[in-house]
Every structure is written in C-alpha cells, then in structure tokens.
C-alpha cells in the first residue's frame, strides 16, 4: 500500500516538474512560466526538500499552515482590513525602510504593481520604454495597451539588458520617425532578468540610464520581483538599487515564500494614488495577512541567509564539479541560476528520480540544448551540505550507464 502511494506521488511529482518521459526536453522557459505546482513530498524522507528548481522553498499547504502557526505563536498575527493595518502595514513599513522610499503599498500581484506604476508615473504621456525580454512586455497580456492606454516600446531585443546608448537610439528613432508626437514618460528596467536566467543588470549601466533619465525628465520603474537575489549576488544594497528609480516593485512569493502578493514602493505622490487604482481594477482584497505575515517572516534576516546560501552553494558546486561527467557553470552576471550538463553516459531522468526518491532532492528538466537550470535557494540551508553532496555522488553513480 505504502509503495503504491509512493509511486503515485513520484509520478505526480515528475509530471508536475516536467520530467515525465514525454516532456523531458521541454524548454525551461515553459517551466518558468508554468504555475508553481502544489508538489507533494516524497514519502519516508526528510520533510523539507532541497529543491534545485525554484527561487524559494515551494512550501506545501501543510507547511505553509504550520509556518503561519509558528509565526502566530511567537507573536500573534494582526489581521489587516482591506489592506489597512495589521501584518500588511508592518510589511509596508519594512519595505519603505529597506528601499528608502517615502511609501510602500501591498498589491495582490506584481503584474498589477508594474502596470499601475507605469500608468501613474506616465501621467498623460503615452509611451513607455520596456526591455523586450521583460515580464512587463511579454507576460502581462498587453495590459498597458488594453487597460491603461499606454504604448509599450520594446528595447534591447536579443540582449540580456539594454544600456544608455540603446535607450538614446530608441528615443531618437521615435522622435525622428513619428509624425504625430506623443510623450515618452517612463523607462522600465527588470533586475534580475528572468528571461536571461536571472542575469543582473550591472549597477554602472543602471546609473548611466538613471542619470540620462533625470536629465531628460523621464521617470523610472524597477521590476525588482527578485531584487534581493540581485542584491545578494552583486553586493549592491536594495537601498542603492531603489535610489535610481521612482518606483520599485518586489514580489512576496518568489523567494519570500508567501502564496502571492507584491509591494510597490515610491514617493508619496504616486503611492497615495495606488489604493484607488487597485479598487477600480477590482483588486482590493478583504484580508492579505496570510501573505504579508509570511513574507515579513522571511524578509527578516534575508541578507544573512542568502549570503549563507551563496557560501554553501559555492562549496557544493565545486565538490559536484569534481564528479566525472558533470559540469555546473555559472552565468555571466548571474544570480541563483547555473547551467548543469551531464555526459551522455549519465541518465538525467534516472538521476532525478534517484535524488527525489532517496533523498527528497528535486532537480528540474533539461532544455532543448540538454542543459538543466540548476537553481539555488534557501532550501540548501535545511540540510547538511555534505549530505547533499553525498546524495549527488551516489545518484550519479546510480545514473551511469
Ligand atoms: C520579473 C517578473 N515581474 C513580474 C512578475 C509578475 O508577478 P505576479 O505573478 O505577482 O503578477 C513576475 C512573475 O513571474 C516576474 O517574474
């Protein structure tokens, strides 16, 4: 009976992460745009999985409830009322401080945070310049055009990020090639860049763009869904990143482990207008404390934990790279995503199944080039790193031949 449950769980798991036979070679981008599956734990194994797939811990509903209970027992969670007060106010205060902005507000989604930031910063201007590979341009269902009457102009196609010269060229192009002038209001930067496997936009590039925008009176919005990762890997504080932008959005669920939610930070004259806009769009939620209390818990101490994640991952990666036939390489200006390749003598599916079944370690699928995106996160801190290394050594031996 137990065995049968185990097999079903396993099948379910590999189907969800895309390692079923049919989908081993699906591109990683489809995985990234897929909803986070409610994964079940492998039976009879350490409760907390070490996952090499997500930015965060991928908590199950049961773990989520237990964590909230633990948080509540330490200090009773105060509920908010339509976003006012309680845990939601606490997290708004926390984000205001860490970004150095006048105000911060909770929104139900990052998509709404991005869109409202653009709309409000732009005023009556119609044009917004956005990275071609950004969530705003590619993944927000043309909300800017269809809901907010803003025209998005993509920039930097084929590059991980654009620089100030690209920006000047794009502005010059529209200024000289369009007969009926309409205003450009806002420039958007995404950092780290999800579609470039978490590449950080170098701070010097941001500074140059910011100086140019200030001189020319353009506003700037940062899609910093995962800005803490950029900060941890580039040693640039959130305060510094935020200082170059008028508004900053940060996700509460990517690595802060809430089940959803977003923060938008900026000057009072913008942020004070956001609550009304959320209401108009039907996004005012009665209570959000289950998200904000959770994210606040994981926000506390995040810098220290990520510096430990980075230290530990360096040791793990350098040990794993000693295994014949396995190669984990970092990316230029990368954050928590690495490229893992295996010799043809090592069967990825066998390895992934072994790691999952025996050690509750999760590994993603290969993309069309045979590269597995090896993603590090705080789950590395839940196990002795030597155990993780040994599990891999065993798994590779098992998967050979
Ligand atoms: C870079 C980036 N920006 C914005 C979002 C949107 O966040 P949400 O799912 O909360 O709308 C995402 C989500 O995947 C993202 O990766």
């Amino acid at each position: 009976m137990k065995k049968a449950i185990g097999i079903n769980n396993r099948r379910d798991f590999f189907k969800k992460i895309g390692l079923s036979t049919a989908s081993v070679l699906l591109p990683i981008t489809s995985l990234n745009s897929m909803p986070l599956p409610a994964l079940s734990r492998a039976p009879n194994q350490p409760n907390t999985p070490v996952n090499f797939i997500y930015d965060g811990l991928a908590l199950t509903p049961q773990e989520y409830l237990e964590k909230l209970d633990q948080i509540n027992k330490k200090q009773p969670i105060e509920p908010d009322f339509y976003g006012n007060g309680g845990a939601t106010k606490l997290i708004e205060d926390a984000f205001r401080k860490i970004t150095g902005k006048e105000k911060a507000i909770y929104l139900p989604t990052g998509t709404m945070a991005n869109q409202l930031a653009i709309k409000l910063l732009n005023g009556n201007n119609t044009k917004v310049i956005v990275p071609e590979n950004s969530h705003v341009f590619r993944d927000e269902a043309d909300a800017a055009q269809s809901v907010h009457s803003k025209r998005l102009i993509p920039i930097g196609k084929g590059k991980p990020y654009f620089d100030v010269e690209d920006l000047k060229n794009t502005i010059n192009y529209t200024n000289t090639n369009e007969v009926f002038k309409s205003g450009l209001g806002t420039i958007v930067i995404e950092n780290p860049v999800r579609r470039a496997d978490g590449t950080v936009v170098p701070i010097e590039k941001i500074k140059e763009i910011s100086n140019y925008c200030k001189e020319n009176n353009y506003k700037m919005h940062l899609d910093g869904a995962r800005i803490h990762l950029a900060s941890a890997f580039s040693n640039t504080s959130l305060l510094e990143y935020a200082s170059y932008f008028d508004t900053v959005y940060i996700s509460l669920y990517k690595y802060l482990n809430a089940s959803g939610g977003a923060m938008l930070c900026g000057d009072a004259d913008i942020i004070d207008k956001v609550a009304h806009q959320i209401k108009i769009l039907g996004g005012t939620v009665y209570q959000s404390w289950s998200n904000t209390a959770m994210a606040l818990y994981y926000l506390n101490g995040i810098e220290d934990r990520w510096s430990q994640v980075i230290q530990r991952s360096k040791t793990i990666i350098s040990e794993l790279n000693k295994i014949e036939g396995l190669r984990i390489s970092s990316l230029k200006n990368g954050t928590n995503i690495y490229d893992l390749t295996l010799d043809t003598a090592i069967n990825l599916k066998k390895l992934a199944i072994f790691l999952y079944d025996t050690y509750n370690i999760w590994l993603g699928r290969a993309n069309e080039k045979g590269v597995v995106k090896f993603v590090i996160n705080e789950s590395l801190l839940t196990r002795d790193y030597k155990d993780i290394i040994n599990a891999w050594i065993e798994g590779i031996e098992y998967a050979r031949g």
Side-chain angles (χ1 to χ4, degrees):
M1 183 62 187
K2 222 172 193 175
K3 185 93 180 144
I5 294 169
I7 287 167
N8 283 343
N9 270 358
R10 192 176 75 181
R11 218 177 272 146
D12 200 32
F13 172 78
F14 287 108
K15 221 166 98 195
K16 280 165 178 163
I17 66 162
L19 264 172
S20 61
T21 334
S23 54
V24 166
L25 293 177
L26 276 181
I28 194 80
T29 43
S30 15
L31 176 65
N32 292 335
S33 56
M34 266 167 38
L36 182 75
L39 297 170
S40 47
R41 298 286 173 263
N44 307 324
Q45 290 172 343
N47 199 31
T48 309
V50 170
N51 88 73
F52 289 99
I53 300 179
Y54 301 115
D55 296 319
L57 296 174
L59 300 174
T60 59
Q62 186 180 332
E63 288 167 339
Y64 200 95
L65 291 169
E66 282 166 5
K67 185 53 83 178
L68 274 184
D69 189 42
Q70 189 190 318
I71 295 166
N72 187 55
K73 282 198 173 115
K74 213 168 153 212
Q75 167 89 51
I77 298 170
E78 297 280 340
D80 59 304
F81 181 71
Y82 290 109
N84 295 306
T88 302
K89 172 158 186 343
L90 293 182
I91 203 166
E92 287 174 348
D93 289 344
F95 271 99
R96 187 170 47 75
K97 283 193 197 115
I98 59 179
T99 59
K101 296 296 186 198
E102 282 175 10
K103 292 223 167 156
I105 187 167
Y106 172 84
L107 295 96
T109 68
T111 300
M112 195 183 273
N114 277 337
Q115 294 295 324
L116 290 184
I118 289 170
K119 173 188 177 152
L120 294 170
L121 288 175
N122 233 42
N124 289 330
N125 293 307
T126 53
K127 294 188 185 76
V128 179
I129 293 185
V130 295
E132 197 276 341
N133 59 4
S134 62
H135 195 277
V136 175
F137 188 61
R138 293 215 210 157
D139 303 307
E140 299 188 359
D142 296 337
Q145 294 90 327
S146 61
V147 181
H148 304 297
S149 307
K150 301 300 173 206
R151 171 181 163 207
L152 301 184
I153 300 181
I155 181 172
K157 189 168 181 187
K159 296 173 153 192
Y161 49 83
F162 65 89
D163 59 26
V164 74
E165 288 312 313
D166 298 319
L167 181 60
K168 287 179 188 168
N169 290 340
T170 301
I171 294 173
N172 188 35
Y173 179 83
T174 54
N175 284 345
T176 50
N177 289 285
E178 294 191 2
V179 175
F180 298 100
K181 306 291 173 209
S182 66
L184 166 66
T186 309
I187 315 299
V188 175
I189 290 180
E190 182 179 305
N191 189 28
V193 187
R194 188 53 179 179
R195 283 181 186 275
D197 293 328
T199 299
V200 164
V201 184
I203 196 72
E204 291 311 316
K205 301 281 176 198
I206 295 178
K207 273 188 210 168
E208 284 167 13
I209 293 169
S210 165
N211 288 340
Y212 174 79
C213 287
K214 281 206 179 90
E215 279 160 23
N216 291 280
N217 229 1
Y218 301 128
K219 303 288 185 193
M220 284 186 70
H221 171 65
L222 173 63
D223 178 339
R226 301 170 180 81
I227 195 65
H228 276 101
L229 304 187
S231 178
F233 285 85
S234 68
N235 287 319
T236 305
S237 67
L238 252 65
L239 206 59
E240 170 156 17
Y241 276 129
S243 70
Y244 301 114
F245 295 87
D246 296 281
T247 49
V248 180
Y249 140 64
I250 300 161
S251 174
L252 298 191
Y253 73 87
K254 308 276 181 216
Y255 51 82
L256 291 174
N257 302 308
S259 58
M263 300 304 302
L264 185 66
C265 315
D267 286 348
D269 68 333
I270 294 291
I271 301 301
D272 284 345
K273 295 184 182 123
V274 173
H276 177 65
Q277 294 293 322
I278 299 173
K279 182 65 188 168
I280 292 173
L281 294 168
T284 306
V285 175
Y286 174 47
Q287 292 188 324
S288 305
W289 57 264
S290 57
N291 286 335
T292 50
M294 182 66 88
L296 190 60
Y297 172 83
Y298 282 104
L299 184 65
N300 196 357
I302 190 165
E303 275 105 0
D304 286 348
R305 291 197 308 278
W306 269 93
S307 77
Q308 286 176 51
V309 170
I310 292 172
Q311 284 314 316
R312 202 163 287 192
S313 67
K314 279 186 183 153
T315 313
I316 293 173
I317 289 170
S318 97
E319 286 304 310
L320 295 190
N321 271 335
K322 291 179 187 160
I323 302 175
E324 205 189 318
L326 177 154
R327 180 87 214 141
I328 298 170
S329 29
S330 56
L331 307 175
K332 187 166 177 242
N333 296 323
T335 49
N336 64 329
I337 304 177
Y338 296 76
D339 280 351
L340 163 70
T341 48
L342 298 174
D343 269 7
T344 47
I346 303 168
N347 182 313
L348 169 64
K349 196 173 169 200
K350 255 176 115 179
L351 170 66
I353 290 172
F354 176 88
L355 288 175
Y356 174 76
D357 272 354
T358 321
Y359 290 108
N360 206 6
I361 293 177
W362 304 356
L363 187 59
R365 66 188 135 184
N367 64 18
E368 69 282 5
K369 293 181 187 134
V371 176
V372 180
K373 295 295 167 184
F374 179 94
V375 183
I376 58 160
N377 53 54
E378 284 190 32
S379 71
L380 281 187
L381 305 181
T382 62
R383 212 122 13 122
D384 186 329
Y385 73 92
K386 292 187 214 91
D387 291 344
I388 300 174
I389 295 165
N390 288 334
W392 274 79
I393 292 172
E394 245 185 79
I396 295 282
E397 278 322 305
Y398 174 79
R400 271 187 213 283

